[in-house]
Amino acid sequence: MDHRGEFRRAALESGVPDDEVSRFSRHLRVSIGLSGAGGGHPVGQFGGLPRLPVGMKWPSAGDVPLPLLFSVDCGALPRIDGFDLPQDGTLLFFVDQEMDHEDRSGRYARVVYVPDGTETAVAKAPDSVRVRDRFDVGAELSAELPLWLQEGDDDWHEYWEDLDREDMSPFQQQLVRYMENDLPHLDELRDLAYGLWSSDAGVFIGGYADDEVINSIAEQTLAGREKAGEIPAIPVATWHSHLEEEKHRLTSEWISLAGEAHVYEEYYTSFVIRHDDLAAARVDKALPVTTFEAP
């Protein structure tokens, strides 16, 4: 389905100028929420036992088998503009969340892609792995925007609102001018997008990568470029501004492959991937990050 076209038609009918609709649409992503299927057609499952290619060993980190978090049938999922998920086959997400949270190397999580036509069998779980109860899930769509375009009800926006314009970094001032001058109907466009697609699902396929994950990638990228001499050493006083600009750039390079919603006092895992790796079905390149959400 042409989701961008659907949004454009609705925005134009509401009286928003075409050029402003185009600017806003560049930042709009539609993700796929996974939740209890109810009476609908299931697109995957949480928990249970996976169907793995015949002869494939249960995914593990050394001698530590990884629990199956969930799996999805790519062919049953809605097609999303700009999200190059494989058109068929199955994606399976394995992770030992406690170990992945402590280790941070990514070795305690794995994404497995099984193309259609592959001979598979229900895998026998190793004795030491926890097998969650299985339940089927259905799909619903949800609109997503980058953090800086979301409504100002979080710490990030509160930080900005407490700053005088002259105290903002040049990059922060640039974003504020863009929102004020180029997106005068921002509130209306945002409400329209959320009105078309909204979900309170527990897991999302696609959309924007978790901000903490992008922040970590940006920090490593800047530090690596400094060390390699690709950029001058960044003064501590301007580090935050450079970090924000790098995060902004990385949102066009990385996308969320899958991510759990934040739940207090529980682990949640995000899998992010570069657009080009996803388009080539190199899901083994996905970067997993598990966080513990404290109250």
Side-chain angles (χ1 to χ4, degrees):
M1 183 176 178
D2 181 11
H3 298 102
R4 291 186 185 277
E6 181 182 0
F7 177 78
R8 174 176 292 279
R9 288 189 294 273
L12 292 175
E13 288 175 3
S14 70
V16 179
D18 182 78
D19 57 346
E20 185 179 351
V21 176
S22 296
R23 286 192 291 271
F24 180 87
S25 295
R26 286 198 294 268
H27 309 291
L28 175 64
R29 292 181 183 176
V30 178
S31 63
I32 305 167
L34 303 179
S35 57
H41 178 67
V43 300
Q45 67 181 58
F46 287 173
L49 293 171
R51 293 194 66 91
L52 295 175
V54 171
M56 179 179 176
K57 294 182 179 180
W58 187 284
S60 64
D63 59 356
V64 179
L66 305 176
L68 174 67
L69 189 61
F70 64 92
S71 62
V72 291
D73 176 359
C74 296
L77 293 174
R79 305 312 299 177
I80 301 297
D81 308 323
F83 184 51
D84 296 319
L85 203 67
Q87 296 192 9
D88 56 32
T90 304
L91 282 174
L92 303 105
F93 296 83
F94 296 84
V95 60
D96 183 318
Q97 292 185 303
E98 185 173 356
M99 293 299 295
D100 188 59
H101 174 62
E102 294 177 357
D103 185 86
R104 294 289 182 172
S105 69
R107 66 189 297 260
Y108 288 98
R110 191 79 48 79
V111 183
V112 175
Y113 173 55
V114 182
D116 273 2
T118 304
E119 185 180 359
T120 62
V122 176
K124 183 179 184 298
D127 292 339
S128 59
V129 75
R130 175 192 171 195
V131 178
R132 295 178 171 88
D133 292 338
R134 169 181 170 159
F135 65 93
D136 291 338
V137 293
E140 55 188 10
L141 300 180
S142 183
E144 291 194 20
L145 293 169
L147 188 62
W148 58 278
L149 274 182
Q150 293 174 17
E151 292 182 83
D153 58 357
D154 50 40
D155 292 341
W156 187 87
H157 284 91
E158 288 177 4
Y159 167 74
W160 271 37
E161 290 169 358
D162 289 340
L163 285 178
D164 292 329
R165 184 68 62 94
E166 57 269 21
D167 294 329
M168 292 182 178
S169 70
F171 181 68
Q172 290 172 335
Q173 293 178 16
Q174 178 185 343
L175 289 185
V176 170
R177 286 195 300 270
Y178 176 75
M179 287 186 283
E180 291 176 346
N181 300 331
D182 294 355
L183 295 174
H185 297 86
L186 174 58
D187 290 341
E188 184 178 345
L189 290 166
R190 190 164 45 203
D191 291 345
L192 179 58
Y194 292 148
L196 286 172
W197 308 294
S198 182
S199 171
D200 58 358
V203 172
F204 290 88
I205 303 290
Y208 278 94
D210 187 273
D211 184 66
E212 290 185 20
V213 179
I214 288 294
N215 192 80
S216 177
I217 296 173
E219 288 179 335
Q220 295 175 42
T221 301
L222 287 177
R225 292 173 66 194
E226 276 186 322
K227 186 175 181 180
E230 296 176 8
I231 59 174
I234 301 172
V236 174
T238 61
W239 173 262
H240 185 72
S241 177
H242 281 82
L243 183 64
E244 284 187 340
E245 191 165 359
E246 182 65 13
K247 287 170 63 176
H248 188 76
R249 184 189 70 80
L250 287 171
T251 58
S252 63
E253 182 179 330
W254 291 80
I255 193 167
S256 174
L257 178 57
E260 294 182 282
H262 300 195
V263 179
Y264 285 134
E265 297 186 344
E266 288 189 19
Y267 292 106
Y268 62 90
T269 304
S270 297
F271 297 83
V272 301
I273 193 168
R274 287 186 171 90
H275 283 277
D276 55 350
D277 285 329
L278 179 58
R282 295 189 294 260
V283 296
D284 59 309
K285 301 291 187 181
L287 173 65
V289 177
T290 299
T291 304
F292 184 81
E293 185 78 357

